[in-house]
Amino acid sequence: MVKRISIYIDGANFFHGLKIVNKNYSDLCFDFERFVRKIVGKDELVNIYYYNAPLKEKFNKWVYWEQVKFFDRLRKIPKLKLILCKRQKRLDGDDNEYYVIKGDDIHLALDMLRDACKDNYDKVVLISGDGDFAPLVKYVKIEGKEVVNYSFDGSGSRDLLKEFSKENRFVINKKTVNKFFWRRK
């Protein structure tokens, strides 16, 4: 039986997971379209949601413009919805500025719950290792949906991972990443 699948990608978590695999890796060079096709297989893709926040141009123009190109490439992927959230300035103990992404987790959770309650999919794929999503996974399973997780080797939260059987939990490692790097022509 063909299943209807929706995929939810925590972009910041994915970026940091790649850095764990290799500090030189970047999501800018990852082929999300091929990766999603591999995940979906012969099932029907309903939607892909990708959550992240744009960088500030004033800090690093090259990285900023590379991310703009990356987001443009994502927008061209059929059925992908790019949800851009905000970066909020914080100060550490030494008054050094840093930024955190705000709103991505709640947008992902609301979108996944809405789609589950509206019966928009049979199976959902969460690409994140963030433990904050453990209650979300429990609820979506209560709604009768199959939930699958892809997270990076060594970066998945124990609270999140215990929500998945071995059949529904997949590890993204260096071998996986290398299969899906996007190469410029």
Coordinates of all heavy atoms in Angstrom, one line a residue, residues 61-144:
K61 N 29.5 38.6 4.5 CA 28.7 38.7 3.2 C 28.8 37.5 2.4 O 27.8 37.1 1.8 CB 29.3 39.9 2.4 CG 28.8 41.2 3.0 CD 29.3 42.4 2.1 CE 28.8 43.7 2.8 NZ 28.7 44.8 1.9
W62 N 29.9 36.8 2.3 CA 30.0 35.6 1.5 C 29.1 34.5 2.0 O 28.3 33.9 1.2 CB 31.5 35.1 1.4 CG 31.6 33.9 0.5 CD1 31.8 34.0 -0.8 CD2 31.5 32.6 0.9 NE1 31.9 32.7 -1.3 CE2 31.7 31.8 -0.3 CE3 31.3 31.9 2.1 CZ2 31.7 30.4 -0.3 CZ3 31.3 30.5 2.0 CH2 31.5 29.8 0.8
V63 N 29.1 34.2 3.3 CA 28.3 33.2 3.8 C 26.8 33.6 3.7 O 25.9 32.7 3.3 CB 28.6 32.9 5.3 CG1 27.6 31.9 5.9 CG2 30.0 32.4 5.4
Y64 N 26.5 34.8 3.9 CA 25.1 35.3 3.7 C 24.6 35.0 2.3 O 23.5 34.5 2.1 CB 25.0 36.8 4.0 CG 23.7 37.4 3.6 CD1 22.6 37.3 4.4 CD2 23.6 38.1 2.4 CE1 21.4 37.9 4.0 CE2 22.4 38.7 2.0 CZ 21.3 38.6 2.8 OH 20.1 39.1 2.4
W65 N 25.4 35.4 1.3 CA 25.0 35.2 -0.1 C 24.9 33.8 -0.5 O 24.1 33.3 -1.3 CB 25.8 36.1 -1.1 CG 25.4 37.5 -0.9 CD1 26.1 38.5 -0.4 CD2 24.1 38.1 -1.4 NE1 25.3 39.7 -0.4 CE2 24.1 39.4 -1.0 CE3 23.0 37.5 -2.0 CZ2 23.0 40.3 -1.3 CZ3 21.9 38.4 -2.3 CH2 22.0 39.7 -1.9
E66 N 25.8 33.0 0.1 CA 25.8 31.5 -0.2 C 24.5 30.9 0.4 O 23.8 30.1 -0.3 CB 27.0 30.8 0.4 CG 28.3 31.0 -0.4 CD 28.2 30.5 -1.8 OE1 27.9 29.3 -2.0 OE2 28.5 31.3 -2.7
Q67 N 24.0 31.4 1.6 CA 22.8 30.9 2.1 C 21.6 31.4 1.3 O 20.6 30.6 1.1 CB 22.6 31.4 3.6 CG 21.4 30.7 4.2 CD 21.1 31.3 5.6 OE1 21.0 32.5 5.7 NE2 21.0 30.5 6.6
V68 N 21.7 32.6 0.8 CA 20.6 33.1 -0.1 C 20.4 32.2 -1.3 O 19.3 31.8 -1.7 CB 20.8 34.6 -0.6 CG1 19.9 35.0 -1.7 CG2 20.7 35.5 0.6
K69 N 21.6 31.8 -1.9 CA 21.5 30.9 -3.1 C 21.0 29.5 -2.7 O 20.2 28.9 -3.4 CB 22.9 30.7 -3.7 CG 23.4 31.9 -4.4 CD 24.7 31.6 -5.1 CE 25.8 32.5 -4.7 NZ 27.1 32.2 -5.2
F70 N 21.4 29.0 -1.5 CA 20.9 27.8 -0.9 C 19.4 27.8 -0.8 O 18.7 26.9 -1.2 CB 21.6 27.5 0.4 CG 21.1 26.3 1.2 CD1 21.1 25.1 0.7 CD2 20.5 26.5 2.4 CE1 20.6 24.0 1.4 CE2 20.0 25.5 3.2 CZ 20.1 24.2 2.7
F71 N 18.9 28.8 -0.1 CA 17.4 29.0 0.0 C 16.7 29.0 -1.3 O 15.6 28.4 -1.5 CB 17.1 30.2 0.9 CG 17.4 30.0 2.4 CD1 17.6 31.2 3.2 CD2 17.6 28.8 3.0 CE1 17.9 31.1 4.5 CE2 17.9 28.7 4.3 CZ 18.0 29.8 5.1
D72 N 17.3 29.7 -2.3 CA 16.7 29.8 -3.6 C 16.6 28.4 -4.2 O 15.7 28.0 -4.9 CB 17.5 30.7 -4.5 CG 17.2 32.2 -4.2 OD1 16.3 32.5 -3.5 OD2 18.0 33.0 -4.7
R73 N 17.7 27.6 -4.0 CA 17.7 26.2 -4.5 C 16.7 25.4 -3.9 O 16.0 24.6 -4.5 CB 19.1 25.6 -4.3 CG 19.4 24.3 -5.0 CD 20.8 23.9 -5.1 NE 21.6 24.1 -3.9 CZ 21.8 23.2 -2.9 NH1 21.2 22.1 -3.0 NH2 22.5 23.5 -1.9
L74 N 16.5 25.5 -2.5 CA 15.5 24.8 -1.8 C 14.1 25.1 -2.3 O 13.2 24.3 -2.5 CB 15.5 25.1 -0.3 CG 16.7 24.5 0.5 CD1 16.6 24.9 1.9 CD2 16.7 23.0 0.3
R75 N 13.8 26.4 -2.6 CA 12.5 26.9 -3.1 C 12.1 26.2 -4.4 O 11.0 26.1 -4.8 CB 12.5 28.4 -3.3 CG 12.4 29.1 -2.0 CD 12.3 30.6 -2.2 NE 12.3 31.4 -1.0 CZ 13.3 32.0 -0.4 NH1 14.5 32.0 -1.0 NH2 13.2 32.6 0.7
K76 N 13.1 25.7 -5.2 CA 12.8 25.1 -6.5 C 12.5 23.6 -6.3 O 12.1 23.0 -7.3 CB 14.1 25.3 -7.4 CG 14.3 26.7 -7.8 CD 15.5 26.9 -8.6 CE 15.8 28.4 -8.9 NZ 17.1 28.6 -9.5
I77 N 12.7 23.1 -5.2 CA 12.4 21.6 -5.0 C 10.8 21.5 -4.9 O 10.2 22.2 -4.1 CB 13.0 21.1 -3.7 CG1 14.5 21.2 -3.8 CG2 12.5 19.7 -3.4 CD1 15.3 20.8 -2.5
P78 N 10.3 20.6 -5.8 CA 8.8 20.5 -5.8 C 8.3 20.1 -4.4 O 8.9 19.2 -3.7 CB 8.6 19.3 -6.8 CG 9.8 19.3 -7.6 CD 10.9 19.8 -6.8
K79 N 7.2 20.7 -4.0 CA 6.5 20.4 -2.7 C 7.2 20.9 -1.5 O 6.8 20.6 -0.4 CB 6.1 18.9 -2.6 CG 5.2 18.5 -3.8 CD 4.7 17.1 -3.6 CE 3.8 16.8 -4.8 NZ 3.2 15.5 -4.7
L80 N 8.4 21.6 -1.6 CA 9.1 22.1 -0.4 C 8.6 23.4 0.0 O 8.4 24.3 -0.9 CB 10.6 22.1 -0.7 CG 11.4 22.5 0.6 CD1 12.6 21.6 0.7 CD2 11.8 23.9 0.6
K81 N 8.3 23.6 1.3 CA 7.9 24.9 1.8 C 9.0 25.3 2.8 O 9.3 24.6 3.7 CB 6.6 24.7 2.6 CG 5.4 24.4 1.7 CD 4.1 24.2 2.5 CE 3.0 23.8 1.6 NZ 1.8 23.6 2.3
L82 N 9.6 26.4 2.4 CA 10.7 27.0 3.2 C 10.1 27.9 4.2 O 9.5 28.9 3.9 CB 11.7 27.7 2.3 CG 12.9 28.4 2.9 CD1 13.8 27.4 3.6 CD2 13.6 29.2 1.9
I83 N 10.3 27.6 5.5 CA 9.8 28.5 6.6 C 11.0 29.1 7.3 O 11.8 28.5 7.9 CB 9.0 27.7 7.6 CG1 7.7 27.1 7.0 CG2 8.6 28.5 8.8 CD1 7.8 25.9 6.3
L84 N 11.1 30.5 7.1 CA 12.2 31.2 7.6 C 11.7 31.9 8.9 O 10.7 32.6 8.9 CB 12.7 32.2 6.6 CG 13.4 31.6 5.4 CD1 13.8 32.7 4.4 CD2 14.5 30.7 5.7
C85 N 12.5 31.7 9.9 CA 12.2 32.2 11.3 C 13.2 33.4 11.5 O 13.9 33.8 10.7 CB 12.3 31.1 12.3 SG 11.2 29.7 11.9
K86 N 13.2 33.8 12.8 CA 14.1 34.9 13.1 C 15.3 34.5 13.9 O 15.3 33.5 14.6 CB 13.3 35.9 13.9 CG 12.1 36.6 13.2 CD 11.4 37.6 14.0 CE 10.3 38.2 13.2 NZ 9.6 39.2 13.8
R87 N 16.3 35.3 13.8 CA 17.5 35.2 14.7 C 17.4 36.3 15.7 O 17.1 37.4 15.4 CB 18.8 35.3 13.9 CG 19.0 34.1 13.0 CD 20.4 34.2 12.4 NE 20.5 33.1 11.4 CZ 21.0 31.9 11.7 NH1 21.5 31.7 12.9 NH2 21.1 30.9 10.8
Q88 N 17.6 35.9 17.0 CA 17.6 36.9 18.1 C 18.9 37.0 18.7 O 19.6 36.0 19.0 CB 16.5 36.4 19.1 CG 16.2 37.4 20.1 CD 15.1 37.0 21.0 OE1 15.2 36.0 21.7 NE2 13.9 37.6 20.9
K89 N 19.3 38.3 18.9 CA 20.6 38.6 19.5 C 20.6 38.3 21.0 O 19.6 38.6 21.7 CB 21.0 40.0 19.3 CG 22.4 40.4 19.9 CD 22.9 41.8 19.4 CE 22.0 42.9 19.9 NZ 22.6 44.2 19.6
R90 N 21.7 37.6 21.5 CA 21.9 37.4 22.9 C 23.3 37.8 23.3 O 24.1 38.0 22.4 CB 21.7 35.9 23.2 CG 20.4 35.3 22.8 CD 19.4 35.5 24.0 NE 18.1 35.2 23.7 CZ 17.5 34.0 23.9 NH1 18.2 33.0 24.4 NH2 16.2 33.8 23.6
L91 N 23.5 37.9 24.5 CA 24.9 38.2 25.0 C 25.3 37.1 26.0 O 24.5 36.6 26.8 CB 24.9 39.6 25.8 CG 24.5 40.8 25.0 CD1 24.4 42.0 25.9 CD2 25.5 41.0 23.9
D92 N 26.6 36.7 25.8 CA 27.1 35.7 26.7 C 27.6 36.4 28.0 O 27.4 37.6 28.2 CB 28.1 34.8 26.1 CG 29.4 35.5 25.7 OD1 29.6 36.7 26.2 OD2 30.2 35.0 24.9
G93 N 28.2 35.6 28.9 CA 28.7 36.1 30.2 C 29.7 37.2 30.0 O 30.0 38.0 30.9
D94 N 30.4 37.2 28.9 CA 31.5 38.3 28.6 C 31.0 39.4 27.7 O 31.7 40.1 27.2 CB 32.7 37.6 28.0 CG 33.3 36.6 28.9 OD1 33.4 36.8 30.1 OD2 33.8 35.5 28.3
D95 N 29.7 39.5 27.6 CA 29.0 40.5 26.7 C 29.3 40.4 25.3 O 29.3 41.3 24.5 CB 29.3 41.9 27.2 CG 28.6 42.3 28.5 OD1 27.5 41.7 28.7 OD2 29.0 43.2 29.2
N96 N 29.7 39.2 24.8 CA 29.9 38.9 23.4 C 28.5 38.5 22.8 O 27.7 37.8 23.3 CB 30.8 37.7 23.2 CG 32.2 38.0 23.7 OD1 32.8 39.1 23.4 ND2 32.8 37.1 24.5
E97 N 28.3 39.1 21.6 CA 27.0 38.9 20.9 C 27.0 37.5 20.2 O 28.0 37.0 19.7 CB 26.8 39.9 19.8 CG 26.3 41.2 20.2 CD 26.0 42.1 19.0 OE1 26.0 41.6 17.8 OE2 25.9 43.3 19.2
Y98 N 25.9 36.8 20.3 CA 25.6 35.7 19.5 C 24.1 35.6 19.2 O 23.4 36.4 19.7 CB 26.1 34.4 20.2 CG 25.3 34.0 21.4 CD1 24.3 33.0 21.3 CD2 25.6 34.6 22.6 CE1 23.6 32.7 22.4 CE2 24.9 34.2 23.8 CZ 23.9 33.3 23.6 OH 23.1 32.9 24.8
Y99 N 23.8 34.8 18.2 CA 22.4 34.8 17.8 C 21.8 33.4 17.9 O 22.5 32.4 17.7 CB 22.2 35.2 16.3 CG 22.4 36.7 16.2 CD1 23.7 37.3 16.1 CD2 21.3 37.6 16.1 CE1 23.9 38.6 16.0 CE2 21.5 38.9 16.0 CZ 22.8 39.5 15.9 OH 23.0 40.8 15.8
V100 N 20.5 33.3 18.3 CA 19.8 32.0 18.4 C 18.6 32.1 17.4 O 18.0 33.2 17.2 CB 19.4 31.7 19.8 CG1 20.6 31.4 20.7 CG2 18.5 32.8 20.4
I101 N 18.2 31.0 16.9 CA 17.0 30.9 16.0 C 15.8 30.8 16.9 O 15.8 30.0 17.8 CB 17.1 29.7 15.1 CG1 18.3 29.9 14.1 CG2 15.9 29.6 14.2 CD1 18.6 28.8 13.2
K102 N 14.8 31.6 16.7 CA 13.6 31.6 17.4 C 12.4 31.3 16.5 O 12.3 31.8 15.4 CB 13.4 33.0 18.1 CG 14.5 33.4 19.1 CD 14.7 32.4 20.2 CE 13.6 32.4 21.2 NZ 13.8 31.4 22.2
G103 N 11.6 30.4 17.0 CA 10.3 30.1 16.3 C 10.4 28.8 15.5 O 9.3 28.4 15.0
D104 N 11.5 28.3 15.2 CA 11.6 27.1 14.2 C 10.9 25.9 14.8 O 10.1 25.2 14.2 CB 13.0 26.9 13.8 CG 14.0 26.6 14.9 OD1 13.8 27.1 16.0 OD2 15.0 26.0 14.7
D105 N 11.2 25.6 16.1 CA 10.6 24.4 16.7 C 9.1 24.5 16.8 O 8.4 23.5 16.5 CB 11.2 24.1 18.1 CG 12.7 23.7 18.1 OD1 13.2 23.5 16.9 OD2 13.3 23.5 19.1
I106 N 8.6 25.6 17.2 CA 7.1 25.7 17.4 C 6.4 25.7 16.0 O 5.4 25.1 15.9 CB 6.7 27.0 18.2 CG1 5.3 27.0 18.5 CG2 7.1 28.3 17.4 CD1 4.9 25.9 19.5
H107 N 7.0 26.3 15.0 CA 6.5 26.2 13.6 C 6.4 24.8 13.1 O 5.4 24.3 12.6 CB 7.2 27.1 12.6 CG 6.9 28.6 12.7 ND1 5.7 29.1 12.4 CD2 7.7 29.6 13.1 CE1 5.7 30.4 12.6 NE2 6.9 30.7 13.0
L108 N 7.5 24.1 13.3 CA 7.6 22.7 12.9 C 6.5 21.9 13.7 O 5.8 21.1 13.0 CB 9.0 22.1 13.2 CG 9.3 20.7 12.6 CD1 10.8 20.5 12.4 CD2 8.8 19.6 13.6
A109 N 6.4 22.0 15.0 CA 5.5 21.3 15.8 C 4.0 21.6 15.3 O 3.2 20.7 15.2 CB 5.7 21.6 17.2
L110 N 3.7 22.9 15.2 CA 2.4 23.2 14.8 C 2.0 22.7 13.4 O 0.9 22.2 13.2 CB 2.2 24.7 14.8 CG 2.1 25.4 16.2 CD1 2.2 26.9 16.1 CD2 0.9 24.9 17.0
D111 N 2.9 22.8 12.4 CA 2.7 22.3 11.1 C 2.5 20.8 11.1 O 1.5 20.2 10.5 CB 3.8 22.6 10.1 CG 3.9 24.1 9.8 OD1 2.9 24.8 10.0 OD2 5.0 24.6 9.4
M112 N 3.3 20.0 11.8 CA 3.2 18.6 11.9 C 1.9 18.2 12.6 O 1.2 17.2 12.1 CB 4.4 17.9 12.6 CG 4.4 16.4 12.5 SD 5.7 15.6 13.5 CE 7.2 16.1 12.6
L113 N 1.5 18.8 13.7 CA 0.3 18.5 14.3 C -1.0 18.8 13.5 O -1.9 18.1 13.4 CB 0.2 19.3 15.7 CG 1.0 18.8 16.8 CD1 1.0 19.7 18.0 CD2 0.6 17.4 17.2
R114 N -0.9 20.0 12.9 CA -2.1 20.4 12.0 C -2.3 19.4 10.9 O -3.4 18.9 10.7 CB -1.8 21.8 11.4 CG -2.9 22.3 10.4 CD -2.4 23.3 9.4 NE -1.3 22.8 8.6 CZ -0.1 23.4 8.4 NH1 0.1 24.5 8.9 NH2 0.8 22.8 7.6
D115 N -1.2 19.0 10.3 CA -1.3 18.0 9.2 C -1.7 16.7 9.6 O -2.5 16.0 8.9 CB 0.0 18.0 8.4 CG 0.3 19.2 7.6 OD1 -0.6 20.0 7.4 OD2 1.5 19.4 7.1
A116 N -1.3 16.3 10.8 CA -1.8 15.0 11.4 C -3.3 15.0 11.7 O -4.0 14.1 11.3 CB -1.0 14.7 12.7
C117 N -3.7 16.1 12.3 CA -5.1 16.2 12.7 C -6.0 16.4 11.5 O -7.2 15.9 11.5 CB -5.3 17.4 13.6 SG -4.6 17.2 15.2
K118 N -5.5 16.9 10.4 CA -6.3 17.1 9.1 C -6.1 15.8 8.3 O -6.6 15.8 7.1 CB -5.8 18.3 8.4 CG -6.3 19.6 9.1 CD -5.9 20.8 8.2 CE -6.5 22.1 8.7 NZ -6.3 23.2 7.9
D119 N -5.4 14.8 8.7 CA -5.2 13.6 8.0 C -4.5 13.9 6.6 O -4.9 13.3 5.6 CB -6.5 12.8 7.8 CG -6.2 11.4 7.3 OD1 -5.2 10.8 7.7 OD2 -7.1 10.8 6.6
N120 N -3.5 14.7 6.6 CA -2.8 15.1 5.4 C -1.7 14.1 5.0 O -1.2 14.1 3.9 CB -2.2 16.5 5.5 CG -3.3 17.6 5.4 OD1 -4.4 17.3 5.0 ND2 -2.9 18.7 5.9
Y121 N -1.4 13.2 6.0 CA -0.3 12.2 5.7 C -0.6 10.9 6.5 O -1.4 10.9 7.5 CB 1.1 12.7 6.0 CG 1.3 13.2 7.4 CD1 1.4 12.3 8.5 CD2 1.4 14.5 7.7 CE1 1.6 12.7 9.8 CE2 1.6 15.0 9.0 CZ 1.7 14.1 10.1 OH 1.9 14.5 11.3
D122 N 0.0 9.8 6.0 CA -0.1 8.5 6.8 C 1.2 8.3 7.6 O 1.2 7.7 8.6 CB -0.2 7.4 5.8 CG -1.4 7.6 4.8 OD1 -2.5 7.8 5.3 OD2 -1.2 7.5 3.6
K123 N 2.3 8.9 7.0 CA 3.6 8.7 7.6 C 4.3 10.0 7.6 O 4.3 10.7 6.6 CB 4.4 7.6 6.8 CG 5.8 7.4 7.3 CD 6.4 6.3 6.3 CE 7.8 6.0 6.6 NZ 8.3 5.0 5.7
V124 N 5.0 10.3 8.7 CA 5.7 11.6 8.8 C 7.2 11.2 9.1 O 7.5 10.3 9.9 CB 5.1 12.5 9.9 CG1 5.2 11.9 11.3 CG2 5.7 13.9 9.9
V125 N 8.1 12.0 8.5 CA 9.5 11.9 8.7 C 10.0 13.2 9.4 O 9.8 14.2 8.9 CB 10.2 11.6 7.4 CG1 11.7 11.6 7.7 CG2 9.7 10.4 6.7
L126 N 10.6 13.0 10.6 CA 11.2 14.1 11.3 C 12.7 14.0 11.2 O 13.3 13.0 11.6 CB 10.8 14.1 12.8 CG 11.5 15.1 13.7 CD1 11.2 16.5 13.3 CD2 11.2 14.8 15.2
I127 N 13.3 15.0 10.6 CA 14.7 15.0 10.4 C 15.3 16.0 11.4 O 15.4 17.2 11.2 CB 15.2 15.4 9.0 CG1 14.5 14.4 8.0 CG2 16.7 15.4 8.8 CD1 14.8 14.6 6.5
S128 N 15.6 15.5 12.6 CA 16.1 16.3 13.7 C 16.4 15.3 14.8 O 15.9 14.2 15.0 CB 15.0 17.3 14.2 OG 15.5 18.0 15.3
G129 N 17.4 15.7 15.7 CA 17.7 15.0 16.9 C 17.3 15.7 18.1 O 17.7 15.3 19.2
D130 N 16.6 16.8 18.0 CA 16.2 17.7 19.1 C 15.2 17.0 20.0 O 14.1 16.7 19.6 CB 15.6 19.0 18.5 CG 15.4 20.1 19.5 OD1 15.2 19.8 20.7 OD2 15.4 21.2 19.1
G131 N 15.6 16.9 21.3 CA 14.7 16.2 22.3 C 13.4 17.0 22.5 O 12.5 16.4 23.1
D132 N 13.4 18.3 22.2 CA 12.1 19.0 22.4 C 11.0 18.4 21.6 O 9.8 18.7 21.9 CB 12.3 20.5 22.0 CG 13.2 21.2 23.0 OD1 13.4 20.7 24.1 OD2 13.7 22.3 22.6
F133 N 11.3 17.6 20.6 CA 10.2 17.1 19.7 C 9.6 15.8 20.3 O 8.7 15.2 19.7 CB 10.7 16.9 18.3 CG 11.0 18.2 17.6 CD1 12.2 18.4 17.0 CD2 10.1 19.2 17.5 CE1 12.5 19.6 16.4 CE2 10.3 20.4 16.9 CZ 11.6 20.6 16.3
A134 N 10.2 15.2 21.4 CA 9.7 14.0 21.9 C 8.2 14.0 22.2 O 7.4 13.1 21.8 CB 10.5 13.6 23.1
P135 N 7.6 15.0 22.9 CA 6.2 15.1 23.1 C 5.4 15.2 21.8 O 4.3 14.6 21.7 CB 5.9 16.3 24.0 CG 7.3 16.6 24.5 CD 8.3 16.1 23.6
L136 N 5.9 15.9 20.8 CA 5.3 16.0 19.5 C 5.1 14.6 18.9 O 4.1 14.2 18.4 CB 6.1 16.9 18.6 CG 5.7 16.9 17.1 CD1 4.3 17.5 16.9 CD2 6.7 17.7 16.3
V137 N 6.2 13.8 18.9 CA 6.2 12.5 18.3 C 5.2 11.6 19.0 O 4.4 10.9 18.3 CB 7.6 11.8 18.4 CG1 7.6 10.4 18.0 CG2 8.6 12.6 17.5
K138 N 5.1 11.7 20.3 CA 4.1 10.9 21.1 C 2.7 11.2 20.6 O 1.9 10.4 20.4 CB 4.2 11.2 22.6 CG 5.3 10.5 23.3 CD 5.2 10.8 24.8 CE 6.4 10.3 25.5 NZ 6.5 10.6 26.9
Y139 N 2.4 12.5 20.5 CA 1.1 13.0 20.1 C 0.7 12.5 18.7 O -0.4 12.1 18.5 CB 0.9 14.5 20.3 CG -0.5 14.9 20.0 CD1 -1.5 14.9 21.0 CD2 -0.9 15.3 18.8 CE1 -2.8 15.2 20.8 CE2 -2.2 15.7 18.5 CZ -3.2 15.6 19.5 OH -4.5 16.0 19.3
V140 N 1.6 12.7 17.8 CA 1.4 12.3 16.4 C 1.1 10.8 16.3 O 0.2 10.4 15.5 CB 2.5 12.8 15.5 CG1 2.4 12.2 14.1 CG2 2.6 14.3 15.4
K141 N 1.8 10.0 17.1 CA 1.5 8.6 17.1 C 0.2 8.3 17.7 O -0.5 7.4 17.2 CB 2.6 7.8 17.9 CG 4.0 7.8 17.1 CD 5.0 6.8 17.7 CE 5.4 7.1 19.1 NZ 6.6 6.3 19.5
I142 N -0.3 9.0 18.7 CA -1.6 8.9 19.2 C -2.7 9.2 18.2 O -3.7 8.5 18.1 CB -1.8 9.8 20.5 CG1 -1.0 9.3 21.6 CG2 -3.3 9.9 20.8 CD1 -0.9 10.2 22.8
E143 N -2.4 10.1 17.2 CA -3.3 10.4 16.1 C -3.3 9.3 15.1 O -3.9 9.4 14.1 CB -2.8 11.7 15.5 CG -3.2 12.9 16.3 CD -4.7 13.1 16.5 OE1 -5.4 13.1 15.5 OE2 -5.1 13.3 17.6
G144 N -2.5 8.2 15.3 CA -2.5 7.1 14.4 C -1.6 7.2 13.2 O -1.7 6.4 12.3

